[in-house]
Amino acid sequence: MEVVGLLCVIAAILIWALLWVWDSSELKRSREQAGLLGAGSRTLLVTAHPDDEAMFFAPTVLGLARLKHQVSLLCFSAGNYYNQGETRKKELLQSCDVLGIPPSRVMIIDNRTFPDDPAVQWDTKHVASILLQYTEVNGINLVVTFDSGGVSGHSNHVALYAAVRALYSEGKFPEGCSVLTLQSVNVLRKYLSLLDLPWSLLHTQGVLFVLTSEEVARAKVAEPLS
């Protein structure tokens, strides 16, 4: 019984410590987000293929919606690697509807310039030109895309990061336009699920979105069937 009691005390201390870390991190992060993610911002999510928005960015999109952002999507291909481009475009629009992005704010680039192919390196200057034009025309003040690892390492994902980095480093984005990139993590952390939460809370730089149970359900519905 003494051992059981000791284990209960240890468990209680660990839970309290985790909650303390959570509260402290959330307070600090909420202050940081208030400065970076002002309510009403016009945000552009830049993806390479249909399903990227659901597989990789659903927490981000739902978190931004919670902050009253007007989110648009610029997808650089129809995802036609297996000749399913038309189906995947429809699934993209359905997914965006679930995530709160209306068809009027979804643009899919469907041409041979940007094929869905990991063996093809997209031209950085061409991607950057299209992206810059979209941000200027639509008054975008926050761009969200992949980081240098592309999350999955797909060359099309990495190409988007290269274009965004070039525009940002050269100061070509409109004044006041910020950039957020999705952090790539190793395979172990991807599958740790809740066990990775303490590490993420303590070591994430920038912005971290933790979904509510309702938002988790929406994210699951947004996932493509094919």
Side-chain angles (χ1 to χ4, degrees):
M1 292 297 292
E2 293 181 359
V3 174
V4 174
L6 179 60
L7 290 175
C8 290
V9 171
I10 293 174
I13 292 174
L14 289 174
I15 293 173
W16 175 84
L18 177 58
L19 290 175
W20 181 83
V21 168
W22 169 272
D23 289 340
S24 300
S25 299
E26 281 298 291
L27 178 60
K28 179 181 178 182
R29 187 165 290 109
S30 64
R31 290 171 178 170
E32 293 173 346
Q33 290 180 5
L36 178 63
L37 305 176
S41 292
R42 292 174 178 256
T43 297
L44 176 63
L45 173 61
V46 185
T47 62
H49 319 107
D51 76 20
D52 288 348
E53 77 293 334
M55 290 180 63
F56 305 121
F57 292 98
T60 303
V61 173
L62 293 170
L64 291 170
R66 191 193 311 154
L67 294 174
K68 308 302 181 184
H69 278 227
Q70 179 178 294
V71 182
S72 300
L73 173 67
L74 176 59
C75 183
F76 270 83
S77 82
N80 202 38
Y81 189 70
Y82 294 108
N83 297 316
Q84 296 180 327
E86 292 304 314
T87 297
R88 296 188 68 189
K89 284 193 290 186
K90 292 177 182 178
E91 290 179 343
L92 170 62
L93 294 174
Q94 293 170 353
S95 173
C96 285
D97 183 59
V98 173
L99 295 174
I101 306 176
S104 61
R105 295 206 300 266
V106 177
M107 179 177 178
I108 304 172
I109 300 174
D110 185 7
N111 61 50
R112 296 181 179 179
T113 306
F114 305 113
D116 175 8
D117 190 340
V120 176
Q121 183 63 48
W122 293 350
D123 182 78
T124 300
K125 289 185 178 180
H126 195 176
V127 174
S129 175
I130 293 174
L131 176 55
L132 181 58
Q133 181 180 18
Y134 190 100
T135 58
E136 291 176 337
V137 170
N138 294 279
I140 300 299
N141 46 33
L142 177 64
V143 174
V144 179
T145 193
F146 297 97
D147 69 358
S148 59
V151 180
S152 64
H154 198 297
S155 64
N156 298 163
H157 299 176
V158 176
L160 299 182
Y161 169 78
V164 170
R165 180 179 179 179
L167 290 172
Y168 188 81
S169 62
E170 295 169 10
K172 292 184 176 180
F173 276 125
E175 183 178 355
C177 183
S178 302
V179 173
L180 287 178
T181 58
L182 182 63
Q183 181 184 8
S184 298
V185 298
N186 59 50
V187 175
L188 177 62
R189 287 189 62 191
K190 286 182 180 179
Y191 292 99
L192 280 177
S193 187
L194 288 177
L195 295 177
D196 183 60
L197 184 58
W199 177 270
S200 296
L201 288 172
L202 290 172
H203 295 279
T204 296
Q205 296 181 348
V207 178
L208 174 67
F209 290 110
V210 180
L211 301 187
T212 64
S213 57
E214 180 181 347
E215 289 169 338
V216 169
R218 288 178 62 189
K220 289 180 178 180
V221 172
E223 293 178 358
L225 298 176
S226 61

